[in-house]
Structure formats: structure tokens, C-alpha cells
């Protein structure tokens, strides 16, 4: 039975966050708020949960372009090759924020992502998301939840999200209304930064 868990962004309740973290550690899937749209996520270390998300999205796991949602930049060296000082400065300037940065992956990536040469790193400016990842102790793998409604591409109302997703996930976190604009994606894996998608974050940050 899926849980609907209310968490206030101003001061995330540690007990409520701990409940979410327990679900993640046990291989559960959550829908949670970010600084952009609501995301579908699981513990990066749980293979079974990763497979479940790929199945929901209708894609093969090794082909999936999921983001790694981190608490801060201290996890970078776990998944990303050494980056230049200028790249690191850009990340420091932009994060936490409404960006997904594509960076060159290293050989420590989880088994499911070994074939990937790049990873998408996200540090959302949302206290609920950051507190979940901090308590969990490692990143969550995440993807945006789309809506079939052509007018509203992304679901923003947590109650409607719960109605629609309760049979597919273990918990939906109500952190208030979400945004309907996704993150700005910037590829930093090549010689020059390249904006792949313009979203909520300012694409001219560099």
C-alpha cells in the first residue's frame, strides 16, 4: 500500500524523512518534490529498484538517462572523472539549483550504469529532496514524472500525483505544489559547455 507523506519544505520533519529513507533502503520507489518538477526516484545502490523504475519508464536500464540526485558535490568523485577547476567552479556557482549537469562518468559507477560514459548530476534547491539524500547517505537515481495531458506536461499537484501513481510507487511525498518546468540540462563532458535543454535554470550561467 503506497503512503502519502506530508513534509513541509521550510523545516523537513526528520521522522517523516526517516520514514522515506527506510522505504528507499528497502528497495522502494518514491515520488518527491524538487526545485523543478516532481521526480520518481530510488536508492542508487538497489538494483531491484533501478529495474523497477526502468520498467515504469518503458526503457532498458543500461539505456536510461537517469539523473543522480546528490546532497552536495562531495559525491562527485564517486561517479565522475576528475574535472577541471573551471568546471568545478561552474558547478559550485550553479548548485544547488535547477540544473542537470552531464559529466564524464568514471569506472566506479554502479554495475547497471557501467556502459555509460557520462552521468547527469543534480543537486536540487529543495530542502526535502536534499534532506532525504543526506539521511540516505548516497544519491538517489531520479527521473521526471510526465503527464499525458498535452497542456500540462508535468503533474504539479501532489494529491493528483498520488491518485495516479499510488499503485506503482511505495510513497508520494507531498511537499506542496511542484513546478511544471524541468531542469536546464548542460553538457560539460566535452570541450565546451553545451545546453541540451532550456528549463528553469538560466542557460547563460557560464
Amino acid at each position: 500500500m503506497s503512503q502519502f507523506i506530508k513534509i513541509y519544505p521550510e523545516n523537513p520533519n526528520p521522522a517523516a524523512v526517516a520514514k522515506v529513507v527506510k522505504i528507499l533502503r528497502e528497495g522502494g520507489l518514491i515520488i518527491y518534490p524538487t526545485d523543478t518538477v516532481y521526480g520518481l526516484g530510488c536508492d542508487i545502490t538497489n538494483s531491484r529498484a533501478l529495474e523497477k523504475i526502468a520498467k515504469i519508464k518503458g526503457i532498458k536500464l543500461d539505456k536510461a538517462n537517469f539523473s543522480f540526485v546528490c546532497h552536495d558535490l562531495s559525491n562527485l568523485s564517486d561517479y565522475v572523472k576528475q574535472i577541471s577547476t573551471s568546471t568545478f567552479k561552474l558547478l559550485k556557482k550553479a548548485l544547488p539549483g535547477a540544473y542537470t549537469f552531464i559529466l564524464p562518468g568514471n569506472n566506479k559507477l554502479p554495475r547497471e550504469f557501467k556502459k555509460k560514459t557520462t552521468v547527469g548530476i543534480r543537486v536540487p534547491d529543495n530542502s526535502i529532496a536534499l534532506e532525504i539524500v543526506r539521511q540516505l547517505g548516497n544519491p538517489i537515481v531520479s527521473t521526471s514524472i510526465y503527464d499525458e495531458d498535452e497542456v500540462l506536461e508535468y503533474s504539479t499537484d501532489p494529491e493528483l500525483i498520488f491518485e495516479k501513481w499510488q499503485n506503482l510507487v511505495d510513497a508520494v511525498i507531498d511537499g506542496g505544489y511542484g513546478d511544471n518546468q524541468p531542469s536546464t540540462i548542460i553538457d560539460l563532458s566535452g570541450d565546451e559547455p553545451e545546453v541540451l535543454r532550456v528549463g528553469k535554470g538560466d542557460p547563460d550561467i557560464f
Side-chain angles (χ1 to χ4, degrees), residues 3 5 7 20 24 29-43 53 66-70 122-133 139-145 155-156 158 161 165 169 171-179:
Q3 298 182 57
I5 303 169
I7 302 178
V20 175
L24 287 168
L29 307 188
I30 65 165
I31 289 178
Y32 68 101
T34 72
D35 51 353
T36 57
V37 298
Y38 267 77
L40 167 65
C42 73
D43 184 340
I53 286 193
F66 295 147
S67 302
F68 293 5
V69 175
C70 306
R122 199 83 168 83
V123 183
D125 189 10
N126 178 285
S127 55
I128 298 168
L130 294 182
E131 195 50 31
I132 289 167
V133 178
I140 57 180
V141 164
S142 184
T143 180
S144 303
I145 60 165
S155 301
T156 58
I161 292 170
W165 287 81
V169 300
V172 172
I173 295 144
D174 175 2
Y177 273 83
D179 205 317

Side-chain angles (χ1 to χ4, degrees), residues 72-77 80-95 101 103 188:
D72 54 29
L73 295 176
S74 61
N75 286 111
L76 269 194
S77 58
V80 172
K81 281 181 182 168
Q82 196 165 359
I83 54 176
S84 68
T85 309
S86 59
T87 298
F88 189 73
K89 277 184 179 163
L90 173 57
L91 296 176
K92 285 288 273 190
K93 179 180 165 187
L95 300 172
F101 287 105
L103 295 162
L188 298 176

Side-chain angles (χ1 to χ4, degrees), residues 40-59:
L40 167 65
C42 73
D43 184 340
I44 196 171
T45 65
N46 194 298
S47 300
R48 208 175 73 246
L50 290 168
E51 289 286 358
K52 276 195 240 169
I53 286 193
K55 193 175 174 189
I56 286 173
K57 296 292 276 189
I59 44 181

